[in-house]
C-alpha cells in the first residue's frame, strides 16, 4: 500500500506543480493601436483652460494603445493608454458598451483601465462636467466620439491579436527629464520622509515588457510609466499634438517597426501617465518673462514690470524642448528593451512576472468618505471646491488676473463673484481649510454638476506587480505614499510584497491629489485637490481595501476580487449636456478654383534640413477626422512611369502623423466658406532618400445644399538632393 500511496502522492504533486507552472507563466497577451484624433480645428484644447487656445491643425496624431493580459485561468485585464488630456467616465462607459455588445461581459468596469497621457494639446469637451468642459464651450460630440471609437478599436485589435507571451518588468532612471514645479509645497512634507528619497520628483521609469513565448527575442509591446507633465508645448501651441510622451512613444515604435509608417507596425509601445501632479518637463525652471530672473519660490510671481512667471527648457523653443524630453525618455526605454536589435542586453535590470491576475474596482463618494489617520483620528471628505491658487495656474501655464500660488486668504470681491455662482456653507469652508474657496463647485449644479463627487478606484495585479489606477493627478509624494500603502496592504492581507506603479488620470478626471502637508501651502496642486486636506488619506485607505480584496480572493475567483460592494455609480448626465460649438455649415472655394487646387507650389529642389511648404484650397478638416488615414502624404517616386498621376509608382514616406510634418488650416472667409490649408515637411537630415517627391492632400468639403464629399490635391514634383 505504501509504495502505491507514494506513487499517487507523487502524481498529485507533479500535476499540482504542472498546473501551478502553467498558471504562473502561461499568459496570453494582445496589443493594439488605433487612431483617436479628435477635431483638429476650431475646438479649444483641454489642459491650459484657455478658450483662445483653439486648434488650427495637426503636429502629431492621437493614438489609443491597448494591452490585454490573460493568465489562462479565467483572469484577464486590459490597460489602455490614450494620447488625451485625461479620461472621462462616460467615455469608458461607452467603450465598454461597444465591447460588451461584441464580447458579452468579458470586459467590464472592473478589469479595464483607460489612462490619459495628460497632453495639453488635444481637443477638449468630453468630460461631461461643466468646469472641465467650460473653455471648450461645453460638450463636443466630435471629440467624445473620436475617443470612444479609437479606444474601442484599439482593444478589439488587441483582442484579435492574442498570443502566448511572457511578461517582464524593468526599471531605470531618467535624471534630465523632469523637475518639481512646486518645491515649496514638497518641502513641507516631513523631513524624515523626504530623506528617504534622493530627488524631490520621481526619476524612475518602470517598463512592463510583453515578449513572445515562442520567440523570446520578439517584443510585442511595452508600457513605460514615467512621472512628467506633457507640457513641453505651452499654451501658445495651436496644433494637435501628443507632446513629449506621445513623441517618445512614436520614437520607440519607429525603432521596433523599421520601415513602417508612423502609427503602424506590430510592436506597440507607449509612455503612460504616472504620479505627474507636480512634475514638469520644463527643466530650466521658472523665470520672469521679461527680466529672466527667477520667480518667487512660494507664489511663482514676478516684480511689477518683469512679466509673467514661465518655466521652459531644455530646448531653444517649445518644439525643440518637446523633442529633447521625448528623446531622453525614448532612449531610456530603448535601453531597457535592449537597444536596436541587441537581445543580449535585454536581460539587464529586468525580472519575469509569474502568478495569477487580479483586479478590483469600486466607486466611492468622496464627499462622505471617511478614513483613519496614523494618529487614530477619523477624517472625512468635503464637497468639491477649488482654491484661489487654482486660478493662478502653474509655471507651465500661468493663469489670468492677479492670482498667485500659495494664497491662503480670500478676497471680498472674488467671494462675491463666487457666492453669485454657488455659495459655500460654513461647514464647506471649515472642511476645506486652509484652502480659501474660489469656486464652490460641489454646490454648483446648474446646468449640471461642475465636478465629480463619485469617483472610480481600481487596482490590477499580475503576480507581484500592481497597477493602481487613480482618477486624477497625484503629486510626487502622494504617489510614493500610495505605492507604499498598496504594497504593505498586500503583505498585511497575507499576500506578496508588491511592486506598484501609479497609473494617473485613469477612468475619470477629478483634478489633483496633494499630501495634507502640501495642501497647507496651497500651491496650484493643493488648491486643485477637490475633497479637502484629507483627500489623499481617503484614497490610501480605499486602495488598501482594494488590494486586500484581491489578496483574499486569490485562488477562489478568476481574477475578480470578491466581497466588494460596487459602490454608487456616477450620475448619468448625458441628456443635460450643453454645447455652444457650432458644426461646419458649408465649404466653398473662389470662382474658377476647386477644392484641392494648389495655391502655393513647392520649390523645384530642396536639401536635407530644408522645409517644403505647399498651400491648398481646402474644406474644413472637421468634415472627416481621417482616422487611420492622413490629410497629407509625402510620396517618393519609386518606379517607372512615376509622375503620371495617381499611379503605383509612388511610395508614401510620411503622413500628417510624423514629427517632421505639420499642417495649419485657416478660414479665409467665414461668410463665403473659403479656407486654405498649409502643409509643411521638414526633410530629415539623415533618413530621407534623395529622389523625386510630391505632396498629396486628402480632404472633404461640405456642400451648401447638404452632403460631404471627398477631394484630392497634388503638388508639382520636386527634387530632394
Amino acid at each position: 500500500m505504501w509504495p502505491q500511496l507514494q506513487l499517487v502522492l507523487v502524481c498529485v504533486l507533479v500535476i499540482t506543480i504542472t498546473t501551478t507552472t502553467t498558471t504562473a507563466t502561461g499568459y496570453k497577451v494582445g496589443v493594439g493601436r488605433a487612431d483617436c484624433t479628435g477635431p483638429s480645428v476650431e475646438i479649444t484644447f483641454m489642459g491650459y483652460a484657455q478658450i483662445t487656445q483653439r486648434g488650427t491643425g495637426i503636429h502629431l496624431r492621437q493614438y489609443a494603445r491597448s494591452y490585454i493580459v490573460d493568465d489562462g485561468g479565467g483572469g484577464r485585464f486590459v490597460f489602455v493608454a490614450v494620447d488625451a488630456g485625461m479620461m472621462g467616465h462616460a467615455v469608458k462607459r461607452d467603450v465598454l458598451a461597444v465591447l460588451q455588445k461584441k464580447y458579452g461581459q468579458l470586459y467590464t468596469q472592473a478589469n479595464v483601465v483607460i489612462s490619459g497621457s495628460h497632453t495639453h494639446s488635444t481637443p477638449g469637451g468630453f468630460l461631461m462636467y461643466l468646469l472641465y468642459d467650460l473653455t471648450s464651450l461645453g460638450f463636443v460630440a466630435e471629440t467624445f466620439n473620436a475617443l470612444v471609437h479609437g479606444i474601442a478599436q484599439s482593444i478589439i485589435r488587441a483582442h484579435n491579436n492574442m498570443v502566448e507571451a511572457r511578461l517582464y518588468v524593468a526599471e531605470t532612471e531618467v535624471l534630465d527629464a523632469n523637475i518639481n514645479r512646486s518645491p515649496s509645497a514638497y518641502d513641507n512634507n516631513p523631513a524624515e520622509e523626504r530623506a528617504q528619497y534622493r530627488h524631490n520628483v520621481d526619476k524612475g521609469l518602470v517598463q512592463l515588457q510583453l515578449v513572445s513565448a515562442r520567440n523570446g527575442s520578439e517584443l510585442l509591446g511595452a508600457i513605460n510609466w514615467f512621472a512628467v507633465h506633457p507640457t513641453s508645448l505651452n499654451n501658445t501651441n495651436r496644433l494637435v499634438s501628443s507632446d513629449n510622451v506621445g513623441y517618445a512613444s512614436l520614437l520607440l515604435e519607429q525603432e521596433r517597426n523599421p520601415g513602417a509608417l508612423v502609427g503602424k507596425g506590430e510592436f506597440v509601445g507607449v509612455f503612460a501617465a504616472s504620479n505627474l501632479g507636480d512634475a514638469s518637463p520644463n527643466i530650466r525652471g521658472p523665470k520672469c518673462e521679461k527680466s529672466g530672473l527667477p520667480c518667487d519660490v512660494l507664489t511663482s510671481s514676478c516684480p511689477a514690470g518683469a512679466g509673467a512667471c514661465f518655466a521652459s527648457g531644455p530646448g531653444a523653443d517649445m518644439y525643440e524642448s518637446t523633442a529633447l524630453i521625448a528623446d531622453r525618455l525614448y532612449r531610456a526605454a530603448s535601453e531597457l528593451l535592449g537597444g536596436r536589435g541587441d537581445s543580449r542586453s535585454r536581460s539587464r535590470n529586468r525580472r519575469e512576472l509569474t502568478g495569477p491576475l487580479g483586479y478590483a474596482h469600486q466607486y466611492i463618494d468622496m464627499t462622505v468618505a471617511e478614513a483613519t489617520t496614523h494618529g487614530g483620528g477619523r477624517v472625512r471628505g468635503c464637497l468639491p471646491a477649488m482654491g484661489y491658487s487654482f486660478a493662478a495656474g502653474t509655471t507651465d501655464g500661468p493663469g489670468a488676473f492677479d492670482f498667485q500660488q500659495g494664497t491662503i486668504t480670500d478676497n471680498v470681491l472674488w467671494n462675491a463673484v463666487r457666492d453669485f455662482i454657488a455659495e459655500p456653507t460654513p461647514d464647506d469652508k471649515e472642511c476645506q481649510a486652509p484652502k480659501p474657496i474660489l469656486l464652490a463647485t460641489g454646490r454648483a449644479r446648474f446646468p449640471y454638476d461642475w465636478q465629480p463627487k463619485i469617483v472610480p478606484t481600481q487596482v490590477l495585479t499580475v503576480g507581484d506587480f500592481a497597477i493602481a489606477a487613480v482618477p486624477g493627478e497625484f503629486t510626487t509624494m502622494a504617489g510614493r505614499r500610495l505605492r507604499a500603502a498598496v504594497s504593505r496592504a498586500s503583505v498585511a492581507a497575507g499576500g506578496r510584497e508588491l511592486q506598484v506603479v501609479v497609473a494617473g488620470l485613469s477612468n475619470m478626471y477629478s483634478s489633483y491629489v496633494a499630501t495634507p502637508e502640501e495642501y497647507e501651502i496651497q500651491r496650484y496642486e493643493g488648491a486643485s485637490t477637490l475633497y479637502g486636506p484629507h483627500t489623499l488619506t481617503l484614497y490610501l485607505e480605499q486602495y488598501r481595501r482594494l488590494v486586500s480584496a484581491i489578496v483574499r480572493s486569490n485562488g477562489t475567483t478568476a481574477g475578480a476580487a470578491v466581497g466588494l460592494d460596487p459602490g454608487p455609480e456616477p450620475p448619468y448626465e448625458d441628456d443635460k449636456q450643453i454645447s455652444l460649438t457650432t458644426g461646419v455649415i458649408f465649404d466653398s472655394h473662389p470662382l474658377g478654383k476647386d477644392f484641392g487646387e494648389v495655391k502655393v507650389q513647392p520649390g523645384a529642389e530642396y536639401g536635407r534640413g530644408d522645409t517644403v511648404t505647399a498651400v491648398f484650397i481646402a474644406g474644413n478638416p472637421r468634415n472627416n477626422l481621417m482616422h487611420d488615414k492622413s490629410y497629407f502624404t509625402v510620396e517618393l517616386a519609386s518606379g517607372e512611369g512615376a509622375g503620371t498621376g495617381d499611379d503605383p509608382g509612388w511610395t508614401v514616406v510620411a503622413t500628417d502623423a510624423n514629427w517632421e510634418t505639420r499642417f495649419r488650416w485657416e478660414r479665409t472667409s467665414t461668410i463665403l466658406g473659403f479656407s486654405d490649408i498649409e502643409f509643411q515637411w521638414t526633410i530629415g537630415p539623415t533618413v530621407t532618400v534623395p529622389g523625386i517627391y510630391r505632396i498629396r492632400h486628402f480632404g472633404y468639403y461640405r456642400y451648401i445644399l447638404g452632403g460631404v464629399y471627398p477631394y484630392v490635391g497634388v503638388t508639382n514634383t520636386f527634387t530632394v538632393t
Side-chain angles (χ1 to χ4, degrees), residues 669-716:
S669 174
T670 302
I671 296 175
L672 298 176
F674 297 170
S675 60
D676 291 344
I677 196 164
E678 178 188 76
F679 179 77
Q680 292 184 329
W681 174 48
T682 300
I683 301 169
T686 58
V687 297
T688 305
V689 177
I692 298 173
Y693 287 81
R694 71 180 184 183
I695 295 169
R696 284 206 295 171
H697 165 45
F698 303 86
Y700 286 76
Y701 69 91
R702 183 174 295 277
Y703 186 46
I704 192 169
L705 297 180
V708 175
Y709 302 94
Y711 67 87
V712 178
V714 59
T715 67
N716 297 335

Short mmCIF file of all heavy atoms in Angstrom, two decimals, residues 669-716:
data_model
loop_
_atom_site.label_atom_id
_atom_site.label_comp_id
_atom_site.label_asym_id
_atom_site.label_seq_id
_atom_site.Cartn_x
_atom_site.Cartn_y
_atom_site.Cartn_z
N SER A 669 -12.46 83.15 -45.36
CA SER A 669 -13.70 83.92 -45.44
C SER A 669 -14.81 83.12 -44.77
O SER A 669 -15.24 82.07 -45.29
CB SER A 669 -14.09 84.24 -46.89
OG SER A 669 -15.36 84.86 -46.93
N THR A 670 -15.27 83.61 -43.64
CA THR A 670 -16.34 82.92 -42.92
C THR A 670 -17.65 83.00 -43.69
O THR A 670 -18.41 82.02 -43.77
CB THR A 670 -16.51 83.53 -41.52
OG1 THR A 670 -15.27 83.44 -40.81
CG2 THR A 670 -17.59 82.82 -40.75
N ILE A 671 -17.93 84.15 -44.25
CA ILE A 671 -19.20 84.36 -44.96
C ILE A 671 -19.27 83.48 -46.21
O ILE A 671 -20.28 82.83 -46.49
CB ILE A 671 -19.38 85.84 -45.33
CG1 ILE A 671 -19.50 86.68 -44.04
CG2 ILE A 671 -20.60 86.03 -46.22
CD1 ILE A 671 -19.57 88.16 -44.30
N LEU A 672 -18.17 83.44 -46.97
CA LEU A 672 -18.16 82.70 -48.23
C LEU A 672 -17.77 81.23 -48.05
O LEU A 672 -17.91 80.43 -48.98
CB LEU A 672 -17.22 83.37 -49.23
CG LEU A 672 -17.59 84.80 -49.62
CD1 LEU A 672 -16.53 85.39 -50.55
CD2 LEU A 672 -18.97 84.83 -50.30
N GLY A 673 -17.25 80.88 -46.86
CA GLY A 673 -16.87 79.49 -46.61
C GLY A 673 -15.55 79.09 -47.22
O GLY A 673 -15.30 77.90 -47.44
N PHE A 674 -14.67 80.07 -47.51
CA PHE A 674 -13.37 79.76 -48.09
C PHE A 674 -12.38 79.38 -46.98
O PHE A 674 -12.42 79.96 -45.89
CB PHE A 674 -12.78 80.97 -48.83
CG PHE A 674 -13.59 81.42 -50.02
CD1 PHE A 674 -13.28 82.62 -50.66
CD2 PHE A 674 -14.64 80.66 -50.52
CE1 PHE A 674 -14.00 83.06 -51.75
CE2 PHE A 674 -15.37 81.09 -51.61
CZ PHE A 674 -15.05 82.29 -52.23
N SER A 675 -11.48 78.45 -47.27
CA SER A 675 -10.39 78.15 -46.35
C SER A 675 -9.20 77.59 -47.10
O SER A 675 -9.33 77.00 -48.18
CB SER A 675 -10.85 77.17 -45.26
OG SER A 675 -11.28 75.95 -45.82
N ASP A 676 -8.03 77.79 -46.50
CA ASP A 676 -6.77 77.27 -47.03
C ASP A 676 -6.13 76.35 -46.00
O ASP A 676 -6.40 76.46 -44.79
CB ASP A 676 -5.78 78.41 -47.33
CG ASP A 676 -6.21 79.27 -48.50
OD1 ASP A 676 -7.09 78.84 -49.27
OD2 ASP A 676 -5.67 80.39 -48.64
N ILE A 677 -5.29 75.47 -46.48
CA ILE A 677 -4.55 74.60 -45.58
C ILE A 677 -3.10 74.56 -46.04
O ILE A 677 -2.81 74.35 -47.22
CB ILE A 677 -5.19 73.18 -45.55
CG1 ILE A 677 -4.72 72.38 -44.36
CG2 ILE A 677 -5.01 72.44 -46.84
CD1 ILE A 677 -5.58 71.16 -44.06
N GLU A 678 -2.20 74.84 -45.10
CA GLU A 678 -0.77 74.88 -45.41
C GLU A 678 -0.11 73.64 -44.82
O GLU A 678 -0.27 73.33 -43.63
CB GLU A 678 -0.12 76.13 -44.82
CG GLU A 678 1.39 76.20 -45.06
CD GLU A 678 2.05 77.34 -44.30
OE1 GLU A 678 2.23 77.20 -43.07
OE2 GLU A 678 2.38 78.36 -44.93
N PHE A 679 0.63 72.93 -45.64
CA PHE A 679 1.34 71.73 -45.20
C PHE A 679 2.83 71.98 -45.27
O PHE A 679 3.35 72.53 -46.25
CB PHE A 679 0.97 70.54 -46.08
CG PHE A 679 1.67 69.27 -45.70
CD1 PHE A 679 1.26 68.53 -44.60
CD2 PHE A 679 2.74 68.81 -46.44
CE1 PHE A 679 1.90 67.36 -44.25
CE2 PHE A 679 3.39 67.64 -46.10
CZ PHE A 679 2.97 66.91 -45.00
N GLN A 680 3.53 71.54 -44.21
CA GLN A 680 4.99 71.69 -44.16
C GLN A 680 5.63 70.33 -43.87
O GLN A 680 5.14 69.56 -43.04
CB GLN A 680 5.41 72.69 -43.08
CG GLN A 680 5.02 74.12 -43.37
CD GLN A 680 5.55 75.08 -42.30
OE1 GLN A 680 5.68 74.70 -41.15
NE2 GLN A 680 5.83 76.31 -42.70
N TRP A 681 6.72 70.08 -44.57
CA TRP A 681 7.51 68.87 -44.33
C TRP A 681 8.98 69.27 -44.23
O TRP A 681 9.55 69.80 -45.18
CB TRP A 681 7.31 67.87 -45.48
CG TRP A 681 8.22 66.66 -45.39
CD1 TRP A 681 8.45 65.88 -44.32
CD2 TRP A 681 9.01 66.13 -46.47
NE1 TRP A 681 9.33 64.87 -44.63
CE2 TRP A 681 9.69 64.99 -45.95
CE3 TRP A 681 9.21 66.47 -47.81
CZ2 TRP A 681 10.55 64.22 -46.73
CZ3 TRP A 681 10.06 65.69 -48.59
CH2 TRP A 681 10.72 64.58 -48.05
N THR A 682 9.55 69.05 -43.05
CA THR A 682 10.98 69.32 -42.86
C THR A 682 11.75 68.06 -43.18
O THR A 682 11.55 67.01 -42.57
CB THR A 682 11.26 69.76 -41.41
OG1 THR A 682 10.52 70.95 -41.14
CG2 THR A 682 12.75 70.04 -41.21
N ILE A 683 12.64 68.16 -44.16
CA ILE A 683 13.35 67.00 -44.68
C ILE A 683 14.40 66.55 -43.67
O ILE A 683 15.25 67.33 -43.24
CB ILE A 683 14.01 67.33 -46.03
CG1 ILE A 683 12.94 67.77 -47.03
CG2 ILE A 683 14.79 66.14 -46.56
CD1 ILE A 683 13.51 68.37 -48.30
N GLY A 684 14.30 65.29 -43.25
CA GLY A 684 15.22 64.76 -42.25
C GLY A 684 16.66 64.80 -42.71
O GLY A 684 16.96 64.56 -43.88
N PRO A 685 17.58 65.10 -41.78
CA PRO A 685 18.99 65.24 -42.16
C PRO A 685 19.67 63.93 -42.49
O PRO A 685 20.70 63.92 -43.16
CB PRO A 685 19.61 65.87 -40.91
CG PRO A 685 18.72 65.44 -39.79
CD PRO A 685 17.34 65.40 -40.36
N THR A 686 19.09 62.79 -42.05
CA THR A 686 19.81 61.52 -42.24
C THR A 686 18.97 60.43 -42.88
O THR A 686 19.52 59.51 -43.49
CB THR A 686 20.32 60.98 -40.88
OG1 THR A 686 19.21 60.83 -40.00
CG2 THR A 686 21.34 61.93 -40.27
N VAL A 687 17.65 60.48 -42.76
CA VAL A 687 16.85 59.33 -43.19
C VAL A 687 16.15 59.52 -44.53
O VAL A 687 15.65 58.56 -45.10
CB VAL A 687 15.80 58.98 -42.11
CG1 VAL A 687 16.46 58.57 -40.83
CG2 VAL A 687 14.85 60.15 -41.88
N THR A 688 16.07 60.72 -45.03
CA THR A 688 15.35 60.97 -46.28
C THR A 688 16.18 60.52 -47.48
O THR A 688 17.35 60.88 -47.61
CB THR A 688 15.01 62.46 -46.42
OG1 THR A 688 14.29 62.87 -45.26
CG2 THR A 688 14.16 62.69 -47.65
N VAL A 689 15.55 59.75 -48.36
CA VAL A 689 16.21 59.23 -49.56
C VAL A 689 16.18 60.31 -50.64
O VAL A 689 15.12 60.88 -50.92
CB VAL A 689 15.49 57.97 -50.05
CG1 VAL A 689 16.13 57.47 -51.35
CG2 VAL A 689 15.52 56.89 -48.98
N PRO A 690 17.31 60.62 -51.27
CA PRO A 690 17.29 61.57 -52.40
C PRO A 690 16.40 61.03 -53.52
O PRO A 690 16.32 59.82 -53.75
CB PRO A 690 18.75 61.63 -52.84
CG PRO A 690 19.54 61.20 -51.64
CD PRO A 690 18.69 60.18 -50.95
N GLY A 691 15.69 61.93 -54.20
CA GLY A 691 14.83 61.49 -55.28
C GLY A 691 13.78 62.52 -55.62
O GLY A 691 13.88 63.69 -55.22
N ILE A 692 12.78 62.08 -56.37
CA ILE A 692 11.69 62.95 -56.80
C ILE A 692 10.49 62.73 -55.87
O ILE A 692 10.08 61.59 -55.62
CB ILE A 692 11.30 62.66 -58.25
CG1 ILE A 692 12.48 62.94 -59.19
CG2 ILE A 692 10.08 63.50 -58.67
CD1 ILE A 692 12.23 62.52 -60.63
N TYR A 693 9.92 63.82 -55.38
CA TYR A 693 8.83 63.75 -54.41
C TYR A 693 7.64 64.57 -54.87
O TYR A 693 7.74 65.43 -55.76
CB TYR A 693 9.29 64.29 -53.05
CG TYR A 693 10.23 63.39 -52.30
CD1 TYR A 693 11.59 63.36 -52.60
CD2 TYR A 693 9.77 62.56 -51.27
CE1 TYR A 693 12.46 62.53 -51.90
CE2 TYR A 693 10.63 61.74 -50.57
CZ TYR A 693 11.97 61.72 -50.88
OH TYR A 693 12.83 60.90 -50.19
N ARG A 694 6.52 64.31 -54.23
CA ARG A 694 5.32 65.14 -54.37
C ARG A 694 4.55 65.10 -53.05
O ARG A 694 4.79 64.24 -52.19
CB ARG A 694 4.44 64.64 -55.51
CG ARG A 694 3.73 63.34 -55.22
CD ARG A 694 2.85 62.89 -56.38
NE ARG A 694 2.09 61.68 -56.05
CZ ARG A 694 1.30 61.03 -56.89
NH1 ARG A 694 1.15 61.50 -58.13
NH2 ARG A 694 0.65 59.94 -56.52
N ILE A 695 3.62 66.01 -52.88
CA ILE A 695 2.75 66.04 -51.70
C ILE A 695 1.31 65.95 -52.18
O ILE A 695 0.90 66.65 -53.12
CB ILE A 695 2.96 67.34 -50.89
CG1 ILE A 695 4.37 67.37 -50.31
CG2 ILE A 695 1.92 67.45 -49.78
CD1 ILE A 695 4.75 68.70 -49.72
N ARG A 696 0.55 65.07 -51.54
CA ARG A 696 -0.88 64.96 -51.85
C ARG A 696 -1.70 65.33 -50.62
O ARG A 696 -1.34 64.99 -49.49
CB ARG A 696 -1.24 63.55 -52.31
CG ARG A 696 -0.80 63.27 -53.73
CD ARG A 696 -1.67 62.20 -54.40
NE ARG A 696 -1.55 60.90 -53.78
CZ ARG A 696 -2.35 59.87 -54.07
NH1 ARG A 696 -3.33 60.01 -54.96
NH2 ARG A 696 -2.17 58.70 -53.48
N HIS A 697 -2.79 66.01 -50.86
CA HIS A 697 -3.72 66.42 -49.80
C HIS A 697 -5.05 65.73 -50.02
O HIS A 697 -5.60 65.73 -51.13
CB HIS A 697 -3.89 67.94 -49.83
CG HIS A 697 -5.07 68.44 -49.04
ND1 HIS A 697 -5.38 67.99 -47.77
CD2 HIS A 697 -6.05 69.36 -49.35
CE1 HIS A 697 -6.48 68.59 -47.33
NE2 HIS A 697 -6.90 69.42 -48.28
N PHE A 698 -5.57 65.11 -48.95
CA PHE A 698 -6.86 64.43 -48.98
C PHE A 698 -7.81 65.17 -48.04
O PHE A 698 -7.50 65.38 -46.86
CB PHE A 698 -6.72 62.98 -48.52
CG PHE A 698 -5.74 62.18 -49.33
CD1 PHE A 698 -4.39 62.19 -49.00
CD2 PHE A 698 -6.15 61.44 -50.42
CE1 PHE A 698 -3.47 61.47 -49.74
CE2 PHE A 698 -5.24 60.71 -51.18
CZ PHE A 698 -3.89 60.73 -50.83
N GLY A 699 -8.94 65.57 -48.54
CA GLY A 699 -9.88 66.31 -47.71
C GLY A 699 -11.32 66.03 -48.08
O GLY A 699 -11.62 65.28 -49.02
N TYR A 700 -12.20 66.66 -47.32
CA TYR A 700 -13.64 66.56 -47.56
C TYR A 700 -14.24 67.96 -47.44
O TYR A 700 -13.82 68.74 -46.59
CB TYR A 700 -14.31 65.62 -46.56
CG TYR A 700 -14.04 64.16 -46.81
CD1 TYR A 700 -12.80 63.60 -46.48
CD2 TYR A 700 -15.01 63.34 -47.39
CE1 TYR A 700 -12.55 62.25 -46.71
CE2 TYR A 700 -14.76 61.99 -47.63
CZ TYR A 700 -13.53 61.46 -47.29
OH TYR A 700 -13.28 60.13 -47.53
N TYR A 701 -15.21 68.25 -48.28
CA TYR A 701 -15.90 69.54 -48.18
C TYR A 701 -17.38 69.29 -47.95
O TYR A 701 -17.94 68.26 -48.36
CB TYR A 701 -15.68 70.39 -49.44
CG TYR A 701 -16.35 69.88 -50.70
CD1 TYR A 701 -17.65 70.28 -51.04
CD2 TYR A 701 -15.68 69.00 -51.56
CE1 TYR A 701 -18.26 69.82 -52.20
CE2 TYR A 701 -16.29 68.53 -52.71
CZ TYR A 701 -17.58 68.93 -53.03
OH TYR A 701 -18.19 68.47 -54.17
N ARG A 702 -18.01 70.23 -47.27
CA ARG A 702 -19.44 70.14 -47.01
C ARG A 702 -20.17 71.04 -47.99
O ARG A 702 -19.98 72.26 -47.99
CB ARG A 702 -19.75 70.54 -45.57
CG ARG A 702 -21.23 70.40 -45.19
CD ARG A 702 -21.44 70.66 -43.71
NE ARG A 702 -20.78 69.66 -42.89
CZ ARG A 702 -21.29 68.46 -42.60
NH1 ARG A 702 -22.48 68.13 -43.08
NH2 ARG A 702 -20.62 67.62 -41.85
N TYR A 703 -21.00 70.44 -48.82
CA TYR A 703 -21.74 71.17 -49.85
C TYR A 703 -22.85 71.98 -49.19
O TYR A 703 -23.49 71.53 -48.23
CB TYR A 703 -22.31 70.19 -50.86
CG TYR A 703 -22.98 70.82 -52.05
CD1 TYR A 703 -22.40 71.88 -52.74
CD2 TYR A 703 -24.21 70.34 -52.51
CE1 TYR A 703 -23.01 72.45 -53.84
CE2 TYR A 703 -24.84 70.90 -53.61
CZ TYR A 703 -24.24 71.96 -54.26
OH TYR A 703 -24.86 72.53 -55.35
N ILE A 704 -23.10 73.18 -49.68
CA ILE A 704 -24.05 74.09 -49.07
C ILE A 704 -25.48 73.53 -49.07
O ILE A 704 -26.29 73.85 -48.21
CB ILE A 704 -24.00 75.47 -49.76
CG1 ILE A 704 -24.76 76.50 -48.92
CG2 ILE A 704 -24.53 75.39 -51.17
CD1 ILE A 704 -24.55 77.93 -49.37
N LEU A 705 -25.79 72.66 -50.03
CA LEU A 705 -27.12 72.07 -50.11
C LEU A 705 -27.19 70.70 -49.43
O LEU A 705 -28.21 70.01 -49.51
CB LEU A 705 -27.57 71.95 -51.57
CG LEU A 705 -27.71 73.28 -52.32
CD1 LEU A 705 -28.16 73.04 -53.76
CD2 LEU A 705 -28.69 74.20 -51.60
N GLY A 706 -26.09 70.33 -48.73
CA GLY A 706 -26.09 69.07 -48.00
C GLY A 706 -25.13 68.06 -48.56
O GLY A 706 -24.86 68.02 -49.77
N GLY A 707 -24.58 67.24 -47.67
CA GLY A 707 -23.66 66.19 -48.10
C GLY A 707 -22.21 66.58 -47.91
O GLY A 707 -21.85 67.77 -47.95
N VAL A 708 -21.37 65.57 -47.67
CA VAL A 708 -19.93 65.75 -47.53
C VAL A 708 -19.24 64.93 -48.61
O VAL A 708 -19.54 63.73 -48.77
CB VAL A 708 -19.45 65.31 -46.12
CG1 VAL A 708 -17.94 65.38 -46.03
CG2 VAL A 708 -20.09 66.18 -45.05
N TYR A 709 -18.31 65.53 -49.33
CA TYR A 709 -17.71 64.90 -50.50
C TYR A 709 -16.19 64.98 -50.44
O TYR A 709 -15.63 65.98 -49.97
CB TYR A 709 -18.22 65.58 -51.77
CG TYR A 709 -19.72 65.54 -51.91
CD1 TYR A 709 -20.51 66.60 -51.45
CD2 TYR A 709 -20.35 64.44 -52.46
CE1 TYR A 709 -21.89 66.55 -51.55
CE2 TYR A 709 -21.74 64.39 -52.57
CZ TYR A 709 -22.49 65.45 -52.12
OH TYR A 709 -23.86 65.40 -52.22
N PRO A 710 -15.51 63.92 -50.93
CA PRO A 710 -14.04 63.92 -50.89
C PRO A 710 -13.43 64.69 -52.05
O PRO A 710 -14.06 64.90 -53.09
CB PRO A 710 -13.71 62.43 -51.00
CG PRO A 710 -14.83 61.87 -51.82
CD PRO A 710 -16.06 62.66 -51.44
N TYR A 711 -12.19 65.09 -51.85
CA TYR A 711 -11.40 65.68 -52.92
C TYR A 711 -9.94 65.34 -52.67
O TYR A 711 -9.55 64.97 -51.56
CB TYR A 711 -11.59 67.20 -53.00
CG TYR A 711 -11.06 67.95 -51.81
CD1 TYR A 711 -9.73 68.37 -51.76
CD2 TYR A 711 -11.88 68.25 -50.72
CE1 TYR A 711 -9.23 69.06 -50.66
CE2 TYR A 711 -11.40 68.93 -49.62
CZ TYR A 711 -10.06 69.33 -49.59
OH TYR A 711 -9.58 70.00 -48.51
N VAL A 712 -9.12 65.46 -53.69
CA VAL A 712 -7.68 65.19 -53.59
C VAL A 712 -6.94 66.29 -54.32
O VAL A 712 -7.36 66.74 -55.40
CB VAL A 712 -7.31 63.82 -54.20
CG1 VAL A 712 -5.80 63.59 -54.12
CG2 VAL A 712 -8.05 62.69 -53.51
N GLY A 713 -5.85 66.74 -53.73
CA GLY A 713 -4.97 67.71 -54.39
C GLY A 713 -3.56 67.17 -54.44
O GLY A 713 -3.15 66.40 -53.56
N VAL A 714 -2.80 67.55 -55.46
CA VAL A 714 -1.43 67.06 -55.60
C VAL A 714 -0.54 68.19 -56.11
O VAL A 714 -0.95 68.98 -56.97
CB VAL A 714 -1.36 65.84 -56.54
CG1 VAL A 714 -1.90 66.17 -57.92
CG2 VAL A 714 0.04 65.28 -56.61
N THR A 715 0.64 68.30 -55.55
CA THR A 715 1.58 69.35 -55.95
C THR A 715 2.38 68.91 -57.17
O THR A 715 2.35 67.75 -57.59
CB THR A 715 2.57 69.66 -54.82
OG1 THR A 715 3.42 68.52 -54.61
CG2 THR A 715 1.86 70.00 -53.53
N ASN A 716 3.12 69.87 -57.71
CA ASN A 716 4.14 69.54 -58.68
C ASN A 716 5.22 68.69 -57.99
O ASN A 716 5.35 68.69 -56.76
CB ASN A 716 4.79 70.81 -59.23
CG ASN A 716 3.80 71.68 -59.98
OD1 ASN A 716 2.79 71.19 -60.48
ND2 ASN A 716 4.08 72.98 -60.06
#
